[in-house]
Amino acid sequence: MQRYLVGGAVRDRLLGLPVKDRDWVVVGATPAQMLAQGYTPVGKDFPVFLHPQTHEEHALARTERKTAPGYKGFVFHAEADVTLEQDLARRDLTINAIAQAEDGTLIDPFDGQADLRARLLRHVSAAFVEDPVRILRVARFAARFTAFALAPETAGLMRSMVEAGEVDALVPERVWQEFSCGLTAAQPSRMIELLRDCGALGRLLPTVARSCDAQTLASLDAAAGAGAGTGASAQALPVLLAILLQASVAPAPDGNAADTASVEAACRSLKAPVECRDLAVMTGRERDRMLLPASPAQALALLERCDALRKPQRFAQMLQALGFLAQFAQRQAALAHWQCLQEVACAVDAGAVAAVVQRDHPGQPQRINAAVREARIAAIGAMAAGPCAENAAPKN
C-alpha cells in the first residue's frame, strides 16, 4: 500500500501558490485494509476515505469506463491492482495529473510539468470527452490561471463534446458548482469567453450567451480586480452574478420596473442560491430608476422595494454591483447619494415614533406604520437638502 499526493496540491506547489486542500490516491489497498487502519469511508460512487488524524481525503486508485451519456454515466473499478499511472490517466488536464510520493518524488507520466512551464491547459487523453464537467472545469481554470492558454486540440475536443450533446446532460447543481468557482476567480471573463467559444454557454445559459458583451466582461473583471473576485468574501458571488446578468435587462423608460425575466431564467438554469438570485433581480429592476430624480416619498418606496431597511447589507451589494456598470461609470455620486438615503431612513427611531403615536393616539396602533413612514420621508427630505446631496442626487 502506497499513497501519493495528487491534483491541485501538487500543481499549486509547483506554481509557487498556497496549497489549501490536499488529496491523496492510495495504490495497492482494498477498502477493508483502509478500514482496518482507521480510515473513515465517505465516498458514494467510489471508495474515498478520511485519514484518521488529518481527515484529508484518500481515494483508492481507480479506472473508469463510460457507459451512458452525461457526467454520471461511468462504471468505476477501484481495486488493489489499479496502478498510479492508470489513475492519473483518467484525470482532466496534464497539470492536474502529476503525483508526488511521500519522499517528494514526482510522478508525471503526461508531461504536466512541461505544460506548467509552457502555461498550457491540455487534456490528458481522448477520455476527456467522456465527462462534460471537464468543459466547466477547464473554463474555471482559465479564469483562475490567467496566463495559461488553452491547447487547440483541447478546444477542439470541447467543441465536439458540445456538438454531441454531452453538456445537455449536466444538472444545474453541478454547473453552478463549477460556474461559481470561475465567477469568483481572478479573471471571470476568460471562463465566459471559453464557454462561448466552444458552444457550451449557448446550451447552458442562452440568455447570457445572447447578451453578454465586451463591456459586461470588462465590468466583471473590474469587479474581480477590485476584490469582489477573490473568493474570500461571502458577498463576492452575488455581486459578480448580478453584474454578469445585467446585460440581458433592457432599459426601462419613465421610471417603470425593468423586465427581469431573463435574469430569473438564468438563475433558474443555474439553480443559483436565493441570495444570488434576489440581488441580480433587484439590481436589474431598480438600476434605471436610481438614475432618475426621486421625491422623498419615491426614494423611500424604492428603499422599501429593496428591503433596504431590514437588509442594508444587500442594498450595499446592489450599489457595489451598479458601481461597475457602464451607465454608472460617471455617476458614482448618485450611488453615494442612495447610500446616504438608506442610512438616513434606517436612522429613524421607529420605537420612538411609535411611543409618540401611543401617547397622542392611545388605542390606535394602526397609525404607527404610517407615522414611521412619514418620519422617514421627512428625514430623507431633510437630507436631500443638506450637504450629503450636493452634486449627488440624480438630475434631469
Side-chain angles (χ1 to χ4, degrees):
M1 171 177 165
Q2 295 176 299
R3 66 175 193 158
Y4 299 87
L5 191 64
V6 293
V10 181
R11 177 199 66 224
D12 289 350
R13 184 183 68 80
L14 292 173
L15 288 171
L17 299 174
V19 174
K20 296 180 180 179
D21 300 313
R22 305 201 313 166
D23 294 320
W24 300 80
V25 64
V26 180
V27 177
T30 64
Q33 289 173 316
M34 299 294 286
L35 294 173
Q37 295 193 30
Y39 285 81
T40 303
V42 293
K44 294 181 180 179
D45 297 322
F46 44 80
V48 179
F49 302 83
L50 298 182
H51 190 279
Q53 281 79 48
T54 67
H55 302 292
E56 293 173 338
E57 286 194 358
H58 287 62
L60 295 187
R62 67 184 188 271
T63 59
E64 56 192 32
R65 180 170 54 86
K66 184 76 168 176
T67 58
Y71 74 101
K72 287 188 174 181
F74 291 93
V75 171
F76 297 98
H77 174 72
E79 300 293 342
D81 61 344
V82 178
T83 67
L84 175 63
E85 288 73 15
Q86 287 176 315
D87 182 272
L88 295 176
R90 67 173 179 78
R91 297 177 182 268
D92 50 10
L93 298 173
T94 60
I95 63 172
N96 297 328
I98 309 170
Q100 179 181 311
E102 292 189 78
D103 64 2
T105 302
L106 293 177
I107 299 91
D108 184 14
F110 304 102
D111 293 328
Q113 293 175 87
D115 286 341
L116 284 176
R117 291 189 293 270
R119 298 296 190 260
L120 190 65
L121 301 174
R122 181 170 61 88
H123 64 282
V124 171
S125 72
F128 180 94
V129 302
E130 297 178 349
D131 186 356
V133 172
R134 289 170 175 169
I135 294 176
L136 300 171
R137 282 176 55 82
V138 172
R140 73 169 173 88
F141 282 133
R144 179 186 177 191
F145 300 116
T146 58
F148 280 65
L150 180 64
E153 60 270 29
T154 304
L157 282 182
M158 292 168 62
R159 285 191 295 271
S160 70
M161 293 167 69
V162 173
E163 292 167 0
E166 279 287 327
V167 296
D168 300 333
L170 289 171
V171 297
E173 292 84 357
R174 195 68 176 94
V175 174
W176 176 253
Q177 181 180 349
E178 299 294 337
F179 191 82
S180 61
C181 288
L183 204 57
T184 54
Q187 193 175 341
S189 66
R190 299 194 77 211
M191 173 182 70
I192 302 299
E193 290 174 330
L194 190 151
L195 291 176
R196 182 157 53 193
D197 289 346
C198 73
L201 191 65
R203 297 287 187 95
L204 299 172
L205 290 170
T207 58
V208 175
R210 289 193 298 267
S211 64
C212 190
D213 54 14
Q215 183 58 62
T216 299
L217 295 180
S219 298
L220 201 59
D221 287 345
T230 61
S233 169
Q235 290 78 43
L237 185 54
V239 169
L240 288 159
L241 183 64
I243 292 170
L244 174 66
L245 298 183
Q246 293 314 300
S248 65
V249 180
D254 304 324
N256 296 320
D259 183 356
T260 59
S262 60
V263 174
E264 295 170 34
C267 290
R268 283 195 301 271
S269 295
L270 288 169
K271 282 201 175 178
V274 171
E275 62 272 16
C276 292
R277 180 202 65 200
D278 288 352
L279 183 67
V281 171
M282 184 175 75
T283 302
R285 186 187 68 228
E286 303 295 344
R287 68 178 192 203
D288 296 324
R289 287 168 166 165
M290 298 180 79
L291 287 174
L292 297 173
S295 68
Q298 289 171 328
L300 180 61
L302 186 148
L303 293 173
E304 289 174 337
R305 286 195 302 273
C306 295
D307 206 7
L309 306 180
R310 291 193 316 118
K311 299 179 179 179
Q313 185 181 49
R314 189 179 68 177
F315 189 72
Q317 288 179 313
M318 183 175 76
L319 296 180
Q320 183 184 4
L322 290 172
F324 290 102
L325 300 184
Q327 57 264 55
F328 285 87
Q330 306 301 321
R331 303 299 298 275
Q332 298 298 313
L335 299 178
H337 178 69
W338 278 103
Q339 183 65 52
C340 285
L341 294 177
Q342 185 266 340
E343 291 171 357
V344 166
C346 282
V348 171
D349 189 339
V353 174
V356 171
V357 171
Q358 291 169 344
R359 181 197 66 198
D360 296 344
H361 305 280
Q364 300 183 53
Q366 68 273 15
R367 290 177 174 262
I368 293 176
N369 286 342
V372 171
R373 290 196 82 255
E374 290 173 5
R376 287 170 174 159
I377 289 171
I380 289 172
M383 188 282 294
C388 182
E390 185 177 351
N391 298 321
K395 299 177 175 62
N396 288 319

